[in-house]
């Protein structure tokens, strides 16, 4: 599919007029769209660049990038820079460093980042995935989480698979200090498992699904309740300075959500191409393990999940105390953009 790069002046004027009708607000106030420029009838975007991530664990980001909706809506006045995130930890690093304005993480990773001082806000929910599980080689004598005691397990710290592992160990009554956690990026965790360097891997799709199909690895423990939703996050500085662009991104996500549910085969093809995996593997990820039909507004459902994960941060030493987590959870969600989302404001 080709990326369309131009939009008519009439359509651009309509989009920008709808997106920018107020003034910049701070964190404690409801965000407003940027004011129109006084130079003419057309509104000016608040910035000339937009840095946004895409990730194979975030199918909607792949759809938006593939279809070129951001570029078409923003026209020639805003350059859209796409940055790939290899995991939630990398997306959080990019957000903290200012390398991206909007980044995709798991809910657990967003809460951890906010608890540790990163001024991010969750502006939309992009999926409810079952993207993490405990994986072992074919024929392994490890057949349950309880068998991980005394074993080495690969996991990417600061991501949902890592917190999936912690929750799984707690449920099975295995103390964390009885497991050697090797902190490896997701793809490296797969390699370590398949080469026999670790007994198990807390994996992430689509890498995990590819390992199953290509190497015969097996999922010995699954629990969708231990997966903490897909969170779309933005830096507070970006939301303060460019609420108009933030709204365009969230609007594009809602357009992608509807498009993806109407065109699952095309989503599978896009994921397969970007991730370099067989379409049958991509189909398993999209059709069997990803629920895109969720409410995009961050709220009670996500808070309930994170209230379970939060205390584990303290037990594992990832956050100093529960009070810090409680404060971060109170400050994390910024639902205004998702509440106002209008896919019709996106060109294409």
């Amino acid at each position: 599919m080709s990326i369309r790069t131009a939009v008519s002046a009439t359509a651009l004027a309509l989009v920008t007029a709808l997106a920018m009708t107020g003034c910049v607000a701070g964190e404690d106030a409801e965000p407003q769209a940027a004011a129109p420029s006084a130079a003419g009838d057309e509104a000016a975007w608040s910035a000339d660049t937009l840095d946004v991530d895409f990730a194979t664990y975030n199918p909607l980001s792949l759809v938006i990038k593939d279809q070129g909706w951001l570029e078409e809506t923003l026209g020639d006045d805003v350059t859209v820079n796409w940055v790939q995130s290899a995991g939630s930890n990398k997306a959080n690093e990019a957000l903290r460093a200012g390398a991206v304005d909007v980044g995709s993480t798991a809910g657990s990773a967003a809460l951890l980042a906010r608890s540790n001082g990163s001024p991010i806000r969750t502006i939309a929910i992009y999926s409810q995935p079952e993207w993490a599980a405990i994986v072992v080689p074919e024929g392994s004598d490890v057949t349950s989480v309880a068998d991980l005691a005394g074993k080495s397990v690969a996991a990417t710290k600061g991501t949902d698979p890592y917190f999936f592992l912690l929750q799984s160990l707690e449920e099975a009554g295995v103390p964390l200090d009885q497991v050697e956690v090797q902190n490896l990026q997701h793809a490296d965790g797969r390699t370590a498992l398949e080469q026999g360097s670790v007994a198990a891997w807390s994996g992430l799709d689509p890498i995990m699904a590819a390992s199953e199909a290509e190497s015969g690895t097996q999922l010995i423990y699954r629990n969708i309740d231990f997966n903490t939703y897909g969170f779309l996050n933005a830096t507070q500085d970006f939301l303060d300075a460019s609420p108009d662009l933030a709204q365009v991104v969230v609007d594009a996500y809602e357009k992608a959500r509807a498009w993806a549910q109407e065109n699952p085969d095309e989503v599978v093809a896009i994921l397969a191409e970007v991730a370099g995996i067989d379409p049958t593997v991509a189909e398993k990820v999209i059709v069997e393990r990803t629920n895109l039909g969720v409410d995009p507004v961050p709220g009670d459902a996500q808070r309930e999940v994170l209230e379970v994960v939060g205390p584990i941060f303290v037990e594992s030493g990832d956050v100093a105390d529960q009070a810090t987590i409680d404060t971060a959870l109170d400050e994390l969600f910024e639902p205004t953009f998702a509440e106002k989302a209008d896919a019709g404001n996106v060109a294409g």
Side-chain angles (χ1 to χ4, degrees), residues 69-116:
W69 291 327
L70 291 179
E71 292 84 350
E72 187 169 356
T73 298
L74 297 171
D76 295 333
D77 293 333
V78 180
T79 299
V80 179
N81 299 314
W82 289 95
V83 179
Q84 184 164 12
S85 292
S88 293
N89 61 323
K90 296 301 183 184
N92 274 328
E93 288 173 11
L95 283 162
R96 185 183 284 272
V100 297
D101 302 311
V102 181
S104 342
T105 73
S108 57
L111 179 60
L112 179 64
R114 182 83 197 194
S115 298
N116 286 326

Side-chain angles (χ1 to χ4, degrees), residues 23-61:
C23 46
V24 172
E27 180 168 330
D28 294 329
E30 181 177 305
Q32 302 292 325
S37 121
D41 292 332
E42 291 190 6
W45 298 111
S46 59
D48 57 11
T49 60
L50 172 63
D51 301 319
V52 59
D53 85 339
F54 69 101
T56 57
Y57 55 83
N58 177 359
L60 297 186
S61 70

